[in-house]
Amino acid sequence: MGVIRKKIAARGGEGGVKYVCDVCSADITSTVRIRCAHSACNEYDLCVQCFAQGASSNAHQPQTHPYRVIEQNSFPIFDREWGADEELLLLEGAQIYGLGSWADIADHIGGYRSKDEVRDHYLQVYVDSPNFPLPKRCSPHDMELANEISREEFQSRKKRRIEERREAAKNAPTLQAKTKPTASVPSCHEIQGYMPGRLEFETEFCNEAEEAVQLMQFDPGDGINPRTGELEPEMELKLTVMEIYNCRLTQRVERKKVIFEHNLLDYRENTKSEKKRSKEERDLLNKAKPFARMMNRVDFEQFCQGLIDELNLRQAIAQLQEWRSLRIGDLRSGEKYEQEKQARIQKSIPLGSMDRERLASAQRSKQPPPPDPPSGAALLVQPELPARMQSPHVIAEAEKLSNMKVEPGQVNGGSVIVANGDSTPSKHKTLPQPIPGIQPLALSQDNAPDLHLLTPEEVKLCEVLRIQPKPYLMIKEQILKEAVKGNGSLKRKQAKDICRVDQQKGGRIFDFMVNAGWVVKA
């Protein structure tokens, strides 16, 4: 009996190689067949009926060509559940497809054998055998399994197993088609050119780095001068080229590390988060991306969030300065001004026929379009701050101050409350009197940029004393700090020393703060 070669034929529902008669085309896979052994007939098979009648086709000559009788070797030799014919198909499939291609080998064997079943059988019988690389029952005189299980019983078992697995395959639910291919090729990822299975890109950093070393050879004993024992210049050049190549590989690995660390391959998620940001924020984050190479993901996200917060604060400050220059004194008026400003800009744009129709249809629709989410700067200048921006400690202190009555000549709990004239004063405020011999200075936004930081009484004081707002604020801060150290009280001489100005001006400043209730005279 010769080794069965794979015959080109259709595969049945239960898999495996099918053999047909070359004369009548009958299926002779599960029965005895006659094979021509002549070199002129390649895999020429006949059924028993055609062979008995002397039928032939093509170049086969039944009178002179030798033949072999090939029967179904359906009896166990190495395992109780595997026949000799299946063992032959297993070895043939491993030879054709290679070890490891268990799905192809299982399809080659047929009989509804799964790839896991074929793999486990091969490892148990051939690899884990005490007679490796031969099976345990490799002796031709070992007929233990053949005597234990008769041919008829084994064939009935095999038929029952095939029928059960055929029914199970019919009742099994259909597999859902995979939405994303699993092959490691550049077209199988949302980032074109990236191969997820290999963690590589189709075009790597310094993609031509391998060209310098692809033809380089290092033979044993080469590169060393036998007389001097030193490296030859050619070998030194090769080692230098290899060092340059290794440096490029290191740079390639570092760039991949940055990509994986910051999840830059999640293109859809990154694009979705970028669409939620304004154009200014996107431009700012694009400029900050080079710093990601020297930070981990958490630090870089905190760094970017800090930059966005700074941008929002700067925009909010610029917005508030614009409102102050227009004499807008509260946030609600500023919000109303911005709405009217956008309406004026919209009206100033000339509309074409299509724009008029679109505007009319938008006005007729019942549901207005959803407004754009406010930017970070817009949230900072809202009349009502979000709850997350209101500190519970600040809210509690504000309620405490609103319910508290301060008696004249007292300081709240020994602390100093600086409200720039917004809270109810503990004493009646008197306007500062001019100093003899000193002409008052008229202050305005043009010659005093920080004038908006002062109360009207403080502005009058600075005009009388001829002091700019910024130096006055520094003097005020130092006096209040020193007063806090003394439980809210301060001597006139201490205030004059802190001011470092004319003694008369220092006394006027001290009297003004005592009269305002910010400091208690010691």
Side-chain angles (χ1 to χ4, degrees):
M1 180 177 61
V3 178
I4 301 175
R5 296 294 178 185
K6 182 178 180 183
K7 189 175 184 67
I8 301 176
R11 294 178 182 264
E14 61 186 49
V17 179
K18 301 296 180 181
Y19 294 93
V20 295
C21 178
D22 287 315
V23 175
C24 64
S25 299
D27 186 4
I28 54 177
T29 304
S30 302
T31 184
V32 178
R33 65 181 183 275
I34 311 300
R35 168 163 290 186
C36 180
H38 196 274
S39 58
C41 300
N42 182 24
E43 296 185 352
Y44 190 87
D45 297 323
L46 296 173
C47 62
V48 177
Q49 291 78 6
C50 293
F51 176 75
Q53 296 174 4
S56 63
S57 61
N58 298 334
H60 178 64
Q61 299 179 4
Q63 297 83 2
T64 58
H65 286 186
Y67 62 89
R68 290 177 301 190
V69 179
I70 301 178
E71 60 177 343
Q72 279 296 105
N73 298 313
S74 185
F75 57 88
I77 55 175
F78 300 144
D79 190 282
R80 287 179 173 80
E81 301 296 331
W82 284 69
D85 52 347
E86 292 178 314
E87 299 287 353
L88 287 173
L89 291 173
L90 170 62
L91 299 178
E92 180 183 346
Q95 182 181 4
I96 295 174
Y97 302 108
L99 286 176
S101 302
W102 302 115
D104 294 332
I105 297 175
D107 188 49
H108 184 77
I109 296 173
Y112 288 98
R113 295 285 186 185
S114 64
K115 62 177 183 179
D116 296 333
E117 185 181 7
V118 173
R119 179 194 61 205
D120 296 340
H121 174 75
Y122 180 83
L123 295 177
Q124 179 182 358
V125 174
Y126 296 94
V127 178
D128 298 335
S129 170
N131 299 331
F132 178 80
L134 297 177
K136 180 180 180 180
R137 296 184 173 91
C138 59
S139 174
H141 305 289
D142 189 351
M143 303 295 293
E144 179 182 355
L145 291 179
N147 297 331
E148 179 182 350
I149 304 174
S150 63
R151 184 187 294 265
E152 292 77 10
E153 181 181 358
F154 181 81
Q155 290 181 353
S156 64
R157 286 184 183 179
K158 180 178 180 181
K159 183 178 180 180
R160 191 183 314 115
R161 172 176 55 83
I162 292 176
E163 291 178 353
E164 291 176 355
R165 296 190 178 184
R166 183 186 295 115
E167 291 296 327
K170 289 181 180 179
N171 300 329
T174 58
L175 297 177
Q176 297 293 335
K178 296 183 178 180
T179 57
K180 183 179 291 187
T182 56
S184 182
V185 294
S187 60
C188 292
H189 196 268
E190 57 191 40
I191 301 295
Q192 187 176 6
Y194 175 66
M195 294 173 281
R198 301 170 59 181
L199 299 180
E200 294 180 354
F201 294 88
E202 188 176 13
T203 303
E204 295 279 355
F205 173 76
C206 290
N207 199 44
E208 69 284 352
E210 285 76 8
E211 296 180 0
V213 297
Q214 61 180 354
L215 302 178
M216 194 177 296
Q217 296 181 355
F218 292 89
D219 297 329
D222 287 352
I224 300 178
N225 194 328
R227 297 180 181 179
T228 60
E230 298 179 353
L231 289 176
E232 296 181 352
E234 183 179 358
M235 180 58 65
E236 291 181 356
L237 179 61
K238 287 183 178 180
L239 294 178
T240 303
V241 173
M242 288 300 299
E243 184 177 358
I244 296 174
Y245 174 66
N246 290 331
C247 290
R248 292 181 177 177
L249 291 184
T250 303
Q251 295 174 0
R252 184 182 298 174
V253 171
E254 289 177 353
R255 280 160 172 79
K256 285 184 182 179
K257 183 179 179 181
V258 173
I259 293 175
F260 299 145
E261 172 72 23
H262 297 276
N263 290 341
L264 299 181
L265 294 175
D266 297 338
Y267 177 75
R268 291 188 178 90
E269 294 296 330
N270 296 335
T271 305
K272 191 183 302 181
S273 60
E274 285 184 359
K275 288 181 179 179
K276 298 179 182 179
R277 304 186 184 276
S278 62
K279 183 179 182 302
E280 294 80 6
E281 293 178 354
R282 290 197 297 267
D283 295 341
L284 180 63
L285 294 183
N286 287 333
K287 293 179 181 178
K289 283 182 179 179
F291 294 98
R293 296 179 58 184
M294 58 188 71
M295 299 181 186
N296 57 31
R297 182 183 178 185
V298 177
D299 293 345
F300 183 69
E301 288 180 353
Q302 293 178 356
F303 173 69
C304 292
Q305 188 61 40
L307 292 178
I308 293 175
D309 293 342
E310 180 188 3
L311 175 65
N312 293 334
L313 286 173
R314 290 182 179 275
Q315 291 178 350
I317 291 172
Q319 183 72 70
L320 294 173
Q321 288 177 347
E322 180 185 358
W323 291 352
R324 179 168 289 275
S325 64
L326 298 173
R327 305 301 180 182
I328 298 176
D330 57 277
L331 296 177
R332 293 190 182 277
S333 301
E335 184 179 11
K336 183 179 180 181
Y337 164 75
E338 290 297 328
Q339 294 175 357
E340 295 177 353
K341 179 180 177 181
Q342 293 297 329
R344 289 194 300 270
I345 294 176
Q346 191 69 24
K347 290 181 180 179
S348 63
I349 300 176
L351 298 178
S353 59
M354 297 297 294
D355 295 331
R356 293 191 184 93
E357 293 177 2
R358 192 181 300 112
L359 181 60
S361 61
Q363 292 176 352
R364 288 193 300 267
S365 62
K366 297 182 180 179
Q367 296 181 353
D372 295 334
S375 62
L379 292 175
L380 294 175
V381 296
Q382 282 183 348
E384 297 178 0
L385 293 179
R388 63 180 180 82
M389 302 181 64
Q390 296 179 357
S391 172
H393 175 71
V394 175
I395 297 175
E397 289 293 332
E399 293 178 354
K400 182 179 178 182
L401 291 175
S402 62
N403 298 329
M404 189 178 298
K405 294 182 179 180
V406 182
E407 298 296 335
Q410 292 184 355
V411 180
N412 260 341
S415 62
V416 179
I417 304 174
V418 182
N420 279 348
D422 291 338
S423 62
T424 303
S426 59
K427 289 187 179 181
H428 178 69
K429 295 183 180 180
T430 58
L431 295 178
Q433 300 297 324
I435 300 177
I438 298 180
Q439 183 68 24
L441 176 65
L443 297 178
S444 63
Q445 290 289 343
D446 297 334
N447 58 5
D450 301 325
L451 189 63
H452 61 279
L453 301 176
L454 306 181
T455 63
E457 292 80 8
E458 289 178 319
V459 173
K460 185 64 176 177
L461 177 64
C462 291
E463 290 180 349
V464 170
L465 302 182
R466 298 183 66 88
I467 300 177
Q468 289 290 332
K470 191 170 184 179
Y472 166 75
L473 291 174
M474 296 177 62
I475 293 173
K476 175 183 176 182
E477 180 182 3
Q478 295 299 324
I479 291 177
L480 295 180
K481 285 183 179 179
E482 192 66 27
V484 169
K485 296 178 182 178
N487 200 17
S489 61
L490 191 67
K491 295 182 180 180
R492 179 184 291 270
K493 185 176 183 305
Q494 292 177 329
K496 291 181 179 180
D497 294 339
I498 293 173
C499 292
R500 294 185 182 181
V501 293
D502 183 71
Q503 294 290 331
Q504 197 172 6
K505 293 182 180 181
R508 291 292 183 94
I509 294 175
F510 178 76
D511 294 338
F512 176 81
M513 293 187 178
V514 171
N515 186 55
W518 300 340
V519 180
V520 176
K521 185 176 181 181

